Amino acid sequence: MLLYLSLGDLSMAIISCPGCGKKVSDKAAVCGECGFMLGAHDVESLARKAQNQRAIKVSKLVSQQMLAILLFIAGIAGTFYDWAQLDGWQFMPQVSMVVTVFSFVWYLVARARIYILKRQR
Ligand SMILES: [Zn+2]
């Protein structure tokens, strides 16, 4: 596996991804930008592709999780902030509560999806 990767790097060529048009290595199994499946189709590379795609999905979900946490904190802060002192922002406590609930659910969904993806390995 390591040997394959280092050989791959030596003979690496840059191509445009058919999925998103970004520059990717022609040895990459999966486009790092959009997840488009590139390259060979033997059993080993298919397994590697699946693994790569899972790793990409997990890292996307981890950043979603972080976003959800930030949004949740913002929602809590917004819920308890004294918006009454500002003109035209009376609706903000309600908006903040919706944001808080939404981000909490979002966090749980992302958390569950990471758990499921990691169990498949
Ligand atoms: Zn792409």
Side-chain angles (χ1 to χ4, degrees), residues 17-22 24 31-36:
C17 167
C20 64
K22 297 248 167 67
V24 290
C31 172
E33 295 291 333
C34 67
F36 190 91

Side-chain angles (χ1 to χ4, degrees), residues 58-76 96 98-111 114:
V58 167
S59 70
K60 278 182 182 168
L61 285 168
V62 166
S63 28
Q64 279 189 24
Q65 224 182 339
M66 309 244 271
L67 256 173
I69 291 169
L70 287 177
L71 207 58
F72 182 76
I73 293 167
I76 293 282
S96 300
V98 171
V99 167
T100 305
V101 172
F102 167 79
S103 56
F104 184 66
V105 172
W106 188 20
Y107 172 85
L108 289 181
V109 169
R111 187 85 212 95
I114 290 167

Side-chain angles (χ1 to χ4, degrees), residues 22-41:
K22 297 248 167 67
K23 301 277 178 261
V24 290
S25 160
D26 67 344
K27 295 295 185 288
V30 173
C31 172
E33 295 291 333
C34 67
F36 190 91
M37 299 254 240
L38 309 153
H41 299 285

